């Protein structure tokens, strides 16, 4: 117990900072992922031939070890937060893209036909029909992606990105379990809290009519 | 108002779905397209709002070639109802009905007002506005589907088998409601169906199609009386041709002109005596001017005789009637479908002029099987 108190008095403020850094890297990467993958997912539903190919390629990239990707970015972008964020961004894309694509593709064709027949433009169909109906699936992808990113962001420390990974790796290198714990526990708590929060967001953005329908079913 | 000129549609892969179609539709007309599956009905209809573009020929709406119009703008001026109903599950009924108005940038308050107004047309209470589609029955949903197509007061409505997914009883009541609505609102309607009964009931003119071409285009009566060829005859079906025999056309011609009646001031015991005398189990109640007010039957008398004395105390005013110039085939269908024992026949001012009973139906069926000449002979024998 004493050691815990001691650890906190020595490293408490640094830990807070590293937690903030960790969250920052993950969230920026996830935001970039959302901004990129949601529109791309929607576009891909319009070009099914390309969609299959893109999904395949992304699936393959996803299987590359994270270390390899990080290492790959060092000669291109150097070290620091930016390459870490970019690498994580790559990882966030696939779950969001896949869910956006399946979500939007899963919207009943009769609804699209009704929309088109009543005179919606392509954009109005996306805005009033496809996105609202696909939002639960898209959000599930985002949630999954962000929670993963918080875990993976540990690796950012490797290329000088900072974050809680710093503690874990120095703990591993120096055989100091308290550092490993000081890194791993906040990461886990962060991931759980984020999941909880995004669950709330998911519920909040899901249109009321769909929630009611699900309850009724 | 709507004109097809040598319109053809060839799909990718060479399928000629519509072949040199020519047709002119007047304002306010109710046109039904009917024909076997794959004959090109849907293709023809969707070319009108440019969901499908013609390969050859032109389509004109009010003299203007639709290919020169912006498709989105064009579609907002044409109502569209599909078989799958296609209400948006994440929007309330109010939002669904007024969606076109939103696209047309109407302000929110006016949209609400319009949705409320439209809901009255189909006898749904305003609390439905805040409900979601899944909370409605199939029939109610399609009523909303129809309202959505009326929201911007579109003069032309396209409907592709709109009642095809509904059960027969719901379909029947929606058809009737809709026909009334159309007369009231004076819309031009292009309606695709598989169901000949539906077409006969609703259409001003029926367009019978086969292999992308029009085989016959006429009023229901003309088609029933003079089918253009064997295909049409086959398609209409023998039983309908029989029903359409010109000599037994209106209800007036087949009804019994002397129904047993009573006035409201008579007592129940008089009523019972009259029933016994005439060997009937119900009496039509008319006032001194012969206006039909309702009916009573022996069960009602039996149940209520302790509490009531006069006919007017127990008369049931909810009564289904037909007008004397209604076509027999419509009445026959109604009587059979609703399982009614009889239908009172009234004139335009609701004066009782006769009654059609199941016995009258027997006569019709009898006539149609053995013909009238022999009926006469038999009655001579009898
Ligand atoms: N997108 C398409 N590509 C190729 N062929 C098509 C396409 N749509 C329809 N067809 C073909 O064109 C013909 C007419 O189709 P259409 O949908 O107009 O028929 P329909 O009369 O509405 O039939 P149904 O009563 O079954 O709805 C059919 O043979 C159909 O297979
Ligand atoms: Mg069709």
């Amino acid at each position: 117990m004493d050691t815990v108190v001691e650890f906190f008095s020595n490293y408490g403020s640094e830990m807070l900072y590293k937690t903030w850094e960790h969250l920052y890297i993950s969230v920026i990467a996830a935001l970039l992922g959302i901004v990129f993958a949601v529109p791309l997912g929607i576009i891909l539903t319009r070009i099914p031939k390309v969609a299959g190919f893109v999904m395949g390629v992304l699936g393959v990239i996803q299987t590359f070890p994270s270390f390899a990707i990080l290492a790959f970015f060092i000669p291109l972008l150097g070290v620091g937060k930016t390459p870490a964020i970019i690498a994580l961004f790559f990882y966030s894309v696939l779950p969001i893209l896949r869910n956006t694509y399946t979500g939007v593709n899963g919207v009943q064709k009769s609804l699209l036909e009704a929309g088109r027949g009543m005179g919606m433009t392509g954009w109005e169909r996306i805005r009033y029909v496809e996105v609202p109906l696909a939002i639960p699936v898209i959000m599930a992808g985002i949630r999954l992606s962000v929670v993963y990113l918080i875990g993976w962001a540990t690796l950012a420390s490797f290329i000088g990105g900072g974050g809680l990974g710093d503690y874990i790796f120095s703990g591993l290198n120096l055989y100091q379990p308290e550092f490993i714990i000081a890194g791993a526990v906040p990461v886990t708590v962060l991931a759980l809290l984020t999941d909880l929060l995004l669950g709330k967001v998911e519920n909040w953005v899901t249109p009321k009519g769909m929630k009611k329908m699900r309850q009724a079913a | 108002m709507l004109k097809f000129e040598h319109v053809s549609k060839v799909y990718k892969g060479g399928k000629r779905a519509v072949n040199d179609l020519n047709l002119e539709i007047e304002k306010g007309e109710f046109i039904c397209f009917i024909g076997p599956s794959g004959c090109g009905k849907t293709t023809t209809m969707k070319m009108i709002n440019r969901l499908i573009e013609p390969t050859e020929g032109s389509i004109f709406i009010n003299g203007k070639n639709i290919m020169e119009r912006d498709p989105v703008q064009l579609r907002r001026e044409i109502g569209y109802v599909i078989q799958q109903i296609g209400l948006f599950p994440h929007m309330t009924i109010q939002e669904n009905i007024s969606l076109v108005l939103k696209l047309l940038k109407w302000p929110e308050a006016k949209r609400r007002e319009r949705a409320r107004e439209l809901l009255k047309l189909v006898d749904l209470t305003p609390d439905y506005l805040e409900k979601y589609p899944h909370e409605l029955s199939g029939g109610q949903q399609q009523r909303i589907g129809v309202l959505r197509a009326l929201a911007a007061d579109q003069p032309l409505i396209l409907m592709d088998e709109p009642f095809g997914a509904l059960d027969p009883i719901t379909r029947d009541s929606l058809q009737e409601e809709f026909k009334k609505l159309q007369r009231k609102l004076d819309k031009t309607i292009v309606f695709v169906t598989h169901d000949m009964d539906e077409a006969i009931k609703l259409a001003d003119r029926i367009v019978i199609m086969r292999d992308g071409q029009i085989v016959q285009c006429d009023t229901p009566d003309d088609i029933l009386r003079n089918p253009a060829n064997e295909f049409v005859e086959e398609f209409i079906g023998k039983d309908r041709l029989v029903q359409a025999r010109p000599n037994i056309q209106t209800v007036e011609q087949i009804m019994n002109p002397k129904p047993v009646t009573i006035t409201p001031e008579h007592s129940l015991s008089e009523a019972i005596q009259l029933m016994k005398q005439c060997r009937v189990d119900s009496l039509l109640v008319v006032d001194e001017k012969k206006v039909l007010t309702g009916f009573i039957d022996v069960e009602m008398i039996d149940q209520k005789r302790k509490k009531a004395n006069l006919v007017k105390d127990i008369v049931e005013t909810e009564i289904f009637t037909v007008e004397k110039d209604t076509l027999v085939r419509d009445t026959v269908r109604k009587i059979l479908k609703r399982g009614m024992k009889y239908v009172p026949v009234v004139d335009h001012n609701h004066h009782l002029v006769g009654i059609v009973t199941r016995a009258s139906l027997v006569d019709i069926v009898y006539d149609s099987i053995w013909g009238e000449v022999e009926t006469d002979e038999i009655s001579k024998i009898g």
Side-chain angles (χ1 to χ4, degrees):
Chain A
M1 196 64 210
D2 287 349
T3 46
V4 174
V5 173
E6 197 186 316
F7 189 91
F8 271 116
S9 62
N10 289 340
Y11 295 102
S13 60
E14 193 193 49
M15 233 174 100
L16 269 183
Y17 175 73
K18 291 219 182 289
T19 307
W20 156 245
E21 209 172 37
H22 195 99
L23 198 61
Y24 172 82
I25 296 170
S26 326
V27 167
I28 295 290
L31 283 180
L32 287 175
I34 293 168
V35 169
F36 177 76
V38 172
L40 184 65
I42 295 172
I43 293 169
L44 285 181
T45 59
R46 302 299 194 271
I47 31 176
K49 280 184 197 132
V50 184
F53 174 76
V54 173
M55 293 301 195
V57 170
L58 277 167
V60 172
I61 294 180
Q62 199 82 7
T63 63
F64 293 171
S66 338
F67 275 110
I69 297 229
L70 285 172
F72 174 77
F73 277 107
I74 296 175
L76 287 176
L77 298 162
V79 294
K81 280 201 179 45
T82 315
I85 289 173
I86 291 176
L88 289 174
F89 156 73
F90 268 79
Y91 268 86
S92 73
V93 167
L94 190 72
I96 302 178
L97 186 71
R98 194 167 38 205
N99 277 36
T100 306
Y101 180 77
T102 32
V104 172
N105 236 4
V107 173
Q108 276 176 39
K109 295 292 165 273
S110 59
L111 295 181
L112 296 181
E113 155 125 16
R116 222 158 83 87
M118 75 194 309
M120 287 188 182
T121 60
W123 167 242
E124 283 164 342
R125 277 207 306 285
I126 292 173
R127 177 157 164 228
Y128 295 130
V129 183
E130 290 174 295
V131 169
L133 287 174
I135 205 89
V137 187
I138 298 177
M139 268 311 295
I142 291 174
R143 194 168 154 189
L144 184 77
S145 173
V146 175
V147 172
Y148 275 170
L149 281 194
I150 288 175
W152 283 326
T154 324
L155 298 175
S157 131
F158 247 119
I159 55 172
L164 291 161
D166 287 353
Y167 282 146
I168 296 180
F169 286 110
S170 49
L172 283 173
N173 290 335
L174 306 171
Y175 290 106
Q176 283 183 312
E178 63 267 34
F179 277 98
I180 300 182
I181 292 169
V185 171
V187 169
T188 314
V189 172
L190 217 53
L192 287 176
L193 286 179
T194 313
D195 193 40
L196 215 66
L197 180 76
L198 289 180
K200 289 257 186 301
V201 175
E202 188 178 323
N203 187 41
W204 179 63
V205 295
T206 301
K208 194 170 152 221
M210 294 176 73
K211 273 186 273 187
K212 277 184 135 184
M213 185 161 63
R214 243 182 280 162
Q215 279 161 9
Chain B
M1 95 161 274
L2 179 65
K3 191 165 157 199
F4 288 79
E5 263 183 24
H6 302 288
V7 174
S8 298
K9 173 68 193 181
V10 183
Y11 281 112
K12 264 182 255 154
K15 169 80 198 175
R16 202 167 250 282
V18 174
N19 193 3
D20 193 33
L21 187 120
N22 291 288
L23 180 67
E24 199 160 340
I25 297 170
E26 299 298 322
K27 183 175 179 305
E29 239 187 328
F30 197 131
I31 297 286
C32 278
F33 280 84
I34 194 166
S37 191
C39 68
K41 307 179 289 290
T42 299
T43 307
T44 306
M45 200 193 79
K46 285 189 182 173
M47 283 194 286
I48 299 170
N49 63 357
R50 292 188 59 181
L51 286 175
I52 296 174
E53 312 237 303
T55 320
E56 294 153 25
S58 343
I59 299 171
F60 299 90
I61 294 183
N62 293 328
K64 201 155 165 45
N65 189 337
I66 58 164
M67 294 312 285
E68 287 158 16
R69 305 237 12 224
D70 170 47
V72 166
Q73 217 50 47
L74 177 78
R75 288 177 201 139
R76 288 179 187 175
E77 291 164 23
I78 299 177
Y80 188 53
V81 184
I82 58 175
Q83 177 174 3
Q84 305 87 335
I85 304 175
L87 294 184
F88 298 110
H90 58 295
M91 297 183 188
T92 61
I93 297 307
Q94 191 261 121
E95 289 167 324
N96 265 291
I97 295 179
S98 57
L99 194 53
V100 188
L101 306 178
K102 187 169 183 172
L103 303 179
L104 291 169
K105 308 263 183 308
W106 282 38
E108 161 91 29
K110 272 182 82 181
R111 275 187 267 145
R112 271 180 183 285
E113 182 53 42
R114 177 73 178 147
R116 187 171 279 272
E117 193 182 299
L118 282 163
L119 208 60
K120 285 195 200 122
L121 290 177
V122 293
D123 272 338
L124 286 173
T125 47
D127 55 311
Y128 276 91
L129 287 173
E130 298 312 317
K131 291 192 196 253
Y132 285 94
H134 75 272
E135 298 170 295
L136 274 61
S137 71
Q140 291 172 332
Q141 286 187 24
Q142 192 58 301
R143 283 186 179 87
I144 303 299
V146 171
L147 293 186
R148 179 169 68 174
L150 298 172
D153 209 5
Q154 296 93 327
L156 172 63
I157 318 271
L158 310 180
M159 310 177 93
D160 196 349
E161 303 194 30
F163 309 138
L166 305 173
D167 65 88
I169 293 172
T170 312
R171 193 185 313 153
D172 204 49
S173 59
L174 244 75
Q175 285 164 349
E176 244 155 74
E177 237 179 270
F178 184 61
K179 182 73 190 175
K180 272 189 209 143
L181 205 61
Q182 187 253 350
R183 286 210 195 100
K184 187 157 125 196
L185 302 175
D186 194 30
K187 303 281 178 191
T188 310
I189 290 171
V190 177
F191 189 106
V192 169
T193 177
H194 261 114
D195 177 355
M196 197 65 191
D197 285 327
E198 185 167 71
I200 292 175
K201 193 158 157 187
L202 295 175
D204 295 321
R205 274 194 300 160
I206 299 178
V207 179
I208 301 185
M209 287 185 72
R210 179 196 202 178
D211 298 334
Q213 282 173 314
I214 296 179
V215 185
Q216 187 170 9
C217 169
D218 259 319
T219 63
D221 274 319
D222 282 336
I223 286 188
L224 289 170
R225 275 186 232 165
N226 311 307
N229 56 26
E230 256 171 52
F231 170 76
V232 176
E233 246 170 67
E234 193 92 342
F235 200 76
I236 299 169
K238 287 269 185 296
D239 48 335
R240 291 198 196 84
L241 285 172
V242 165
Q243 284 178 19
R245 287 157 57 109
N247 52 348
I248 42 169
Q249 227 200 355
T250 63
V251 172
E252 196 173 14
Q253 284 162 289
I254 62 143
M255 72 189 184
N256 172 352
K258 291 202 184 69
V260 187
T261 62
I262 193 160
T263 55
E265 274 70 34
H266 279 88
S267 71
L268 293 183
S269 48
E270 281 170 315
I272 268 291
Q273 257 166 17
L274 185 61
M275 284 182 182
K276 188 155 180 281
Q277 211 172 14
C278 304
R279 310 209 62 76
V280 291
D281 66 355
S282 54
L283 298 172
L284 296 175
V285 181
V286 293
D287 64 14
E288 60 286 352
K289 295 196 193 80
K290 277 264 171 197
V291 173
L292 180 68
T293 55
F295 73 97
I296 56 171
D297 65 23
V298 65
E299 277 163 40
M300 286 153 59
I301 294 179
D302 187 39
Q303 277 168 14
K304 304 213 181 111
R305 63 169 177 224
K306 295 219 179 69
K307 276 172 266 162
N309 278 321
L310 298 180
V311 170
K312 69 175 172 198
D313 301 328
I314 65 163
V315 59
E316 171 60 62
T317 51
E318 286 268 315
I319 184 167
F320 183 82
T321 60
V322 292
E323 294 206 347
K324 60 182 183 184
D325 44 13
T326 318
L327 295 183
V328 167
R329 57 177 146 78
D330 290 336
T331 316
V332 169
R333 218 175 297 130
K334 262 176 211 146
I335 292 184
L336 293 180
K337 218 176 240 172
R338 305 199 179 190
M340 291 180 296
K341 285 184 287 198
Y342 62 88
V343 181
V345 181
V346 295
D347 67 10
H348 302 289
N349 300 318
H350 220 67
H351 293 113
L352 183 70
V353 294
I355 188 167
V356 177
T357 59
R358 284 198 160 229
S360 340
L361 297 189
V362 173
D363 290 343
I364 301 171
V365 176
Y366 195 94
D367 283 353
S368 63
I369 298 173
W370 284 285
E372 272 173 300
V373 185
E374 282 147 279
T375 319
D376 288 346
E377 278 165 15
I378 291 170
S379 57
K380 264 181 240 154
I381 298 166

